Amino acid sequence: MISQHFAKNIRKYALEMVTRSRASHIASALSIADIVAVLYSYVLRIDATHPKMPDRDRFILSKGHSCVAVYAALAEKGFFPVSELKTYGQDNSILMNHISHKVPGVEFSTGSLGHGLPFGVGKALAAKKLKATWRVYVLLSDGEMDEGSNWEALMFAAHHRLDNLIAIIDYNKLQSMTTVEKTLGLEPLAEKLRAFGSSVHEVNGHDHEQLKQTLSSVPWDNGKPSVVIAHTVKGKGVNFMENRVEWHYRSPNSEQLAEALRELEERYA
Amino acid sequence: MRNAFIDEMVQQASLNDRILLIVGDLGYSVVEPFADRFPDRFINAGVAEQNMMSLAAGMASEGYQVFVYSIANFPTFRCAEQIRNDVDYHRLPVTVVSVGGGLAYGNLGYSHHAIQDYGLMRLMPNMLIAAPGDPLEVRACLRYLISNPQPSYLRLGKAGESCFHSEVPDIEPGKWLSVHKGIRKGRTLLTTGAALALARQWAFSPDYTGYSVHSMPLWGMTAKHLQLEQIMAWDSIVTVEDHLADCGFGSWLRESLESAVNMLSRVSVLAIDRRVCGMVGDQKTLNSLGGLPICDL
């Protein structure tokens, strides 16, 4: 699938950006690389030459700290030159370390968790009132589901029948200090989301075929918002980064970068 | 002021189909004229302020001009980060409307005392504060905000306020409005919000006989630079507000003199004393206890 190559490039650029700028959050970006690749390859109706096209689908990265994955995707799609990625994290760069609406193709600046979904709810409600056919996709982290504002948003979305809203949860099972399970257990997550009135599908968040099929068939239930629980691995794609909390924070040194890029070439040849 | 607000909203919404009103499960027997006339532009978001404010920003980002209405500290403190990051930072046309500024809900206790709101909202870099002093200033503020959509904070009293202008005044951010010309040269009371009624009374009292009275319904961080010139025209300015002194209106005015500190002695600040925090009583009682007395004329 063409999205596989896209995902490999997202991982490659993400690793380079984070190494060059000594930034954090690489593992959080790697876990969503496949989701982002599928969204930008098959799902989102967007136009790189017309970033504010009125009937574009709106994509909101609520877990804004994973921005390198989305910046890489936007550059690959031509929203801005790939060479711009080198400026990530530098003084006065528009590519700052949380996703920024000043970047072409980005709808909303996030950095504090729990804002993206309610903001997306507002957009989805506006679409309904304007009788627009575009959809709103919001990508959240699992730790982010601790925020009450998300549950407020889900209640509202169900009550107002916002079936043009699709939330994707990057369920990589790790948060800031330890596992989700040991911090604030989310299980039974699918049941909770269904009880809040959403239609829920669970997928392997690294299986492009599953992701594509699931995301392309929304809404699954008329009148209900759709929630994809994407089971993922934090740090996916680089062996030594997978499932390690420290890689939420650490940035790779040049040897680690070289090792990681080698692995990507082998794995995703 | 509440009724002037809804009445003006209905008038404006009939001319502008992008005006939206969102409430946080409050406004019973107040908002019905708008809700009944424009049901598809009225949303009750329930008792969920953080979602309410973010979704307001989301709708504003799609072309709506959104008014978010609740009482006292609910539309401000409860969703302060949403105002800061989603509305103000993105410069979206959302007006945060709080009914019951100051001690208007005095006997409902501390949770309902809005005496720190100027402090919070004036910290937002792109926020215009709209604090009308009477029902006519309410209409003036609304008309200004609708013609100049931007992040804004509309702080209303409750009900029963007198009118101090003869018609809807022309207002601009940072500009003082003359409400009463006193015979004593060089001395004025300067007020914002519902404290206008108090200031107007005081101009007849022994302590302030002959003082002029000015109101400033529109102010904020970006209007500070307009103050020096106006301050220079007076020898003594006494600011009056139904808010704590800390980080309030008078404190904002004093900050505007940072490049002319010799003028600071012209400005004195009358505000609510912190001893009022935790006390319960009606607005008149608490204002008096807090240092803003009603005058017996």
Side-chain angles (χ1 to χ4, degrees):
Chain A
M1 296 175 77
I2 53 161
S3 53
Q4 298 285 5
H5 184 73
F6 195 162
K8 181 179 124 186
N9 280 350
I10 287 174
R11 290 186 158 94
K12 179 168 166 295
Y13 294 147
L15 284 158
E16 285 169 351
M17 277 187 261
V18 152
T19 305
R20 188 181 295 112
S21 60
R22 292 195 240 258
S24 295
H25 306 130
I26 182 60
S28 307
L30 292 172
S31 62
I32 61 168
D34 299 296
I35 296 166
V36 172
V38 167
L39 280 168
Y40 280 92
S41 297
Y42 316 117
V43 180
L44 297 173
R45 293 167 293 180
I46 47 171
D47 180 354
T49 62
H50 197 178
K52 295 213 193 288
M53 176 174 86
D55 50 353
R56 70 193 185 281
D57 285 328
R58 275 76 164 146
F59 170 64
I60 293 162
L61 181 69
S62 191
K63 49 173 297 191
H65 56 283
S66 305
C67 53
V68 288
V70 176
Y71 289 156
L74 289 169
E76 264 289 277
K77 291 292 282 187
F79 280 80
F80 55 85
V82 171
S83 54
E84 192 71 25
L85 295 176
K86 286 197 196 63
T87 70
Y88 176 75
Q90 281 176 26
D91 289 354
N92 291 318
S93 172
I94 54 165
L95 300 181
M96 40 164 259
N97 294 22
H98 278 93
I99 199 135
S100 168
H101 67 289
K102 297 181 185 166
V103 176
V106 178
E107 300 287 344
F108 184 54
S109 290
T110 57
S112 175
L113 299 172
H115 288 244
L117 188 60
F119 185 80
V121 161
K123 282 188 175 290
L125 183 59
K128 289 287 184 190
K129 291 194 180 295
L130 297 166
K131 302 206 184 340
T133 56
W134 44 265
R135 298 195 177 104
V136 184
Y137 298 79
V138 184
L139 180 49
L140 299 101
S141 78
D142 46 14
E144 178 172 17
M145 294 310 291
D146 297 346
E147 289 285 359
S149 55
N150 286 324
W151 298 93
E152 291 177 16
L154 288 167
M155 277 201 286
F156 187 98
H159 185 88
H160 290 267
R161 303 177 58 81
L162 301 179
D163 53 12
N164 54 347
L165 177 69
I166 299 100
I168 305 159
I169 300 173
D170 173 32
Y171 202 4
N172 62 34
K173 317 295 184 315
L174 289 184
Q175 33 191 126
S176 227
M177 310 283 280
T178 178
T179 61
V180 166
E181 199 185 350
K182 288 191 186 142
T183 308
L184 209 54
L186 289 177
E187 289 300 315
L189 182 56
E191 269 184 59
K192 284 188 175 89
L193 293 161
R194 289 188 181 111
F196 272 68
S198 285
S199 190
V200 182
H201 274 46
E202 298 194 59
V203 299
N204 173 347
H206 302 298
D207 182 326
H208 287 223
E209 194 52 62
Q210 269 189 42
L211 283 165
K212 181 185 179 194
Q213 268 187 36
T214 306
L215 288 166
S216 301
S217 54
V218 295
W220 311 308
D221 283 301
N222 282 328
K224 289 189 172 187
S226 309
V227 183
V228 179
I229 298 177
H231 292 275
T232 54
V233 173
K234 196 156 183 170
K236 177 76 174 179
V238 179
N239 242 313
F240 60 89
M241 292 182 177
E242 290 184 6
N243 279 316
R244 315 280 301 272
V245 172
E246 71 199 81
W247 282 104
H248 179 93
Y249 304 97
R250 274 177 86 171
S251 60
N253 59 32
S254 42
E255 289 97 59
Q256 287 166 327
L257 174 66
E259 165 72 34
L261 293 177
R262 243 191 327 267
E263 253 197 69
L264 286 186
E265 283 308 318
E266 278 173 30
R267 261 212 221 187
Y268 301 101
Chain B
M1 284 203 224
R2 270 185 322 202
N3 295 321
F5 167 71
I6 281 294
D7 188 70
E8 189 68 29
M9 282 287 285
V10 168
Q11 281 184 41
Q12 295 291 335
S14 65
L15 302 166
N16 178 341
D17 63 3
R18 286 312 169 94
I19 291 173
L20 218 65
L21 177 63
I22 305 181
V23 306
D25 204 35
L26 284 163
Y28 183 75
S29 88
V30 176
V31 298
E32 286 81 351
F34 187 98
D36 294 342
R37 177 100 174 260
F38 308 108
D40 52 340
R41 289 198 264 147
F42 174 80
I43 296 152
N44 181 352
V47 190
E49 291 77 12
Q50 291 183 62
N51 178 59
M52 176 173 75
M53 196 56 68
S54 284
L55 89 85
M59 297 192 82
S61 76
E62 294 297 344
Y64 286 99
Q65 182 166 11
V66 187
F67 291 81
V68 186
Y69 171 111
S70 186
I71 70 173
N73 303 304
F74 307 145
T76 53
F77 281 88
R78 193 55 177 263
C79 45
E81 195 185 67
Q82 282 76 8
I83 295 171
R84 178 187 186 276
N85 293 2
D86 306 347
V87 174
D88 188 87
Y89 176 59
H90 289 82
R91 297 182 189 246
L92 289 168
V94 175
T95 301
V96 180
V97 185
S98 176
V99 172
L103 295 163
Y105 287 109
N107 32 28
L108 295 182
Y110 186 62
S111 58
H112 285 58
H113 295 173
I115 53 176
Q116 295 125 323
D117 54 330
Y118 294 151
L120 175 67
M121 298 305 269
R122 79 180 188 79
L123 277 175
M124 309 287 176
N126 304 308
M127 180 74 54
L128 178 65
I129 300 191
D134 78 351
L136 292 167
E137 287 188 9
V138 171
R139 291 180 189 272
C141 285
L142 256 183
R143 290 176 200 178
Y144 183 87
L145 292 175
I146 287 167
S147 308
N148 301 275
Q150 60 192 286
S152 35
Y153 174 50
L154 182 61
R155 192 224 213 210
L156 304 175
K158 230 170 77 184
E161 298 89 355
S162 312
C163 286
F164 297 107
H165 299 274
S166 48
E167 53 180 16
V168 178
D170 267 322
I171 58 176
E172 289 286 325
K175 290 294 170 75
W176 305 10
L177 269 186
S178 175
V179 175
H180 167 73
K181 280 186 164 58
I183 50 167
R184 236 177 125 186
K185 216 166 128 16
R187 288 168 188 271
T188 185
L189 296 162
L190 175 62
T191 179
T192 195
L196 176 57
L198 283 170
R200 191 66 191 81
Q201 271 192 338
W202 291 354
F204 295 121
S205 75
D207 286 338
Y208 299 103
T209 309
Y211 271 63
S212 298
V213 178
H214 286 81
S215 74
M216 192 180 340
L218 296 177
W219 54 286
M221 214 184 266
T222 55
K224 267 190 200 167
H225 67 284
L226 298 167
Q227 302 312 302
L228 177 57
E229 195 186 320
Q230 295 175 97
I231 289 169
M232 274 169 45
W234 301 88
D235 302 319
S236 164
I237 300 143
V238 179
T239 65
V240 188
E241 62 194 287
D242 53 347
H243 184 279
L244 292 181
D246 295 70
C247 308
F249 174 63
S251 139
W252 170 85
L253 193 71
R254 288 169 62 83
E255 285 168 21
S256 78
L257 289 172
E258 60 172 351
S259 60
V261 289
N262 55 309
M263 300 255 182
L264 274 173
S265 53
R266 297 191 190 199
V267 179
S268 39
V269 175
L270 273 182
I272 290 177
D273 189 275
R274 76 182 269 274
R275 64 176 165 257
V276 135
C277 297
M279 287 187 178
V280 175
D282 71 13
Q283 186 172 28
K284 289 195 167 92
T285 305
L286 291 184
N287 274 342
S288 282
L289 286 173
L292 303 179
I294 305 295
C295 309
D296 290 323
L297 299 173

